[in-house]
Amino acid sequence: MDTHRLGTTSTGITRLGFGGGPLGGLYEPLDDATAARALEAAWEAGIRYFDTAPHYGIGHSERRMGQMLRSKPRDAFTLSTKVGRLLVPQDPQGRTDESFAVPATHRRVWDFTRDGIRRSVEDSLTRLGLDRIDVLYLHDAEQHFEDALRHGYPALAELRAEGVVGAIGAGMYHPGKLTRLVREAGPDAVMLSGRHTLLDHSALDELLPACTERGVSVVAASVFNSGLLATDRPAPGARYDYAAAGPELLKRVHRIADVCQAHGVSVPQAAMAFPLLHPAVAGIAVGMRTEEEVRRNVAAFTTPVPPDLWTGLRAEGLLDERTPLPPAG
């Protein structure tokens, strides 16, 4: 797979990355063997960018990802994880974690201080069993943004200067706050969740122009908007941004699917190809939990999308006029 550098760093990512959220048991339990097969299938398919976080399954995702990556040459892949939440052990008392289907063995504590971030990195390296992290993001800092900007980002810059990490940035769903980070701090990359997709074009307002102007790379995550765009037609109970999709959204997806069908393209194909139309986007990170999902997504990602699809979507009012389009075929 093609590799693109993040910002002006020497750190590169494959255009399709493996998103580690589902490895933490997102929505439903996941066993180690199934996770291992999914990761191996991704490696065999040529994926070399792997993204995780302490938040995902309170450490399960990092542990599972590290177990696979430890068997590979260290310079052959790029690994990103995140900081901002420390995991503190607790008695699970038979409870399940509030966000992931795993025993509640830890609780999350927000911490964007220098000491908290350095501790988080040490803890992540222990769970991963690796000697370094390639990309480090401030995670979900929307409600703690001033602390993350004033204290968290300088701590990341210090780790980069020390050679502990190769590239730094933030992973959030709020384009406006990421735009502030780009303009005031100058990160190498930002990971934008669910706001540069077929259903949400809000990153075109300020974030993507700011990244283009300042040479900051974008990694688009949640390109399926929590599953609504993951199938040719919305599945029963399909989610949008982790909640049940409303009727207007479902209607819009069906309209997108109609145009895709007319051009011989699946909705997941279009959903993965769309973010990469913008030159600021270095790659996408797609959450996957099974070997079958990996193979299906890789097949869709590597199948070319005809340029006429985009003009067709634009003609139907389903694509923002500011979206850069390739030459029509």
Side-chain angles (χ1 to χ4, degrees):
M1 289 190 183
D2 290 342
T3 299
H4 282 236
R5 288 193 310 166
L6 297 180
T8 59
T9 73
S10 60
T11 302
I13 63 170
T14 46
R15 295 281 264 178
L16 175 59
F18 190 108
L23 295 189
L26 183 64
Y27 302 136
E28 59 187 52
L30 183 72
D31 61 86
D32 285 352
T34 300
R37 287 193 296 270
L39 286 162
E40 285 292 349
W43 186 271
E44 290 169 8
I47 293 174
R48 294 295 182 270
Y49 174 44
F50 297 86
D51 175 70
T52 185
H55 172 57
Y56 302 155
I58 46 177
H60 277 65
S61 177
E62 286 186 321
R63 177 181 59 78
R64 288 167 167 164
M65 197 168 278
Q67 187 170 11
M68 188 279 288
L69 291 175
R70 287 196 300 273
S71 68
K72 311 302 181 187
R74 184 59 189 88
D75 291 337
F77 62 87
T78 299
L79 169 71
S80 60
T81 193
K82 307 180 183 79
V83 292
R85 294 177 176 92
L86 292 173
L87 303 183
V88 178
Q90 65 178 7
D91 182 353
Q93 299 176 348
R95 292 180 291 112
T96 299
D97 179 64
E98 67 273 16
S99 301
F100 294 82
V102 296
T105 56
H106 293 73
R107 60 186 177 88
R108 300 166 180 83
V109 176
W110 290 103
D111 195 331
F112 287 99
T113 65
R114 177 183 182 275
D115 288 347
I117 283 174
R118 295 182 83 92
R119 177 182 161 190
S120 182
V121 169
E122 290 175 4
D123 290 348
S124 288
L125 288 171
T126 298
R127 284 187 292 268
L128 289 159
L130 295 169
D131 62 349
R132 73 174 190 273
I133 294 160
D134 301 300
V135 188
L136 194 60
Y137 298 114
L138 301 167
H139 196 196
D140 292 344
E142 283 85 356
Q143 304 305 316
H144 308 270
F145 186 74
E146 297 304 326
D147 283 342
L149 184 64
R150 289 197 310 268
H151 306 295
Y153 186 82
L156 264 59
E158 188 177 81
L159 290 167
R160 182 182 57 187
E162 294 171 2
V164 176
V165 297
I168 58 173
M172 291 189 274
Y173 66 84
H174 196 294
K177 288 188 166 64
L178 284 176
T179 301
R180 270 195 66 194
L181 185 80
V182 167
R183 290 175 174 163
E184 297 180 25
D188 302 307
V190 295
M191 177 174 278
L192 177 64
S193 178
R195 296 297 175 264
H196 184 51
T197 72
L198 282 176
L199 292 173
D200 190 322
H201 303 148
S202 55
L204 290 166
D205 295 339
E206 294 184 297
L207 178 59
L208 289 172
C211 289
T212 299
E213 176 187 342
R214 297 179 183 251
V216 175
S217 294
V218 176
V219 179
S222 299
V223 299
F224 296 145
N225 283 120
S226 299
L228 188 54
L229 296 171
T231 55
D232 284 331
R233 297 283 174 174
R239 297 179 178 92
Y240 176 82
D241 284 359
Y242 305 105
E248 288 303 313
L249 273 172
L250 292 171
K251 181 179 177 181
R252 186 176 181 86
V253 175
H254 279 292
R255 290 180 62 206
I256 290 171
D258 290 340
V259 178
C260 287
Q261 186 174 357
H263 288 83
V265 175
S266 71
V267 169
Q269 247 184 291
M272 287 189 281
F274 167 76
L276 298 170
L277 293 173
H278 200 285
V281 178
I284 63 173
V286 177
M288 296 177 270
R289 70 168 59 229
T290 67
E291 181 179 7
E292 180 185 357
E293 281 185 12
V294 171
R295 290 179 175 167
R296 184 171 64 244
N297 287 331
V298 169
F301 181 80
T302 55
T303 300
V305 172
D308 289 350
L309 169 69
W310 310 118
T311 54
L313 288 169
R314 180 177 281 181
E316 292 294 320
L318 297 167
L319 204 63
D320 194 293
E321 293 288 335
R322 298 169 295 174
T323 301
L325 300 186

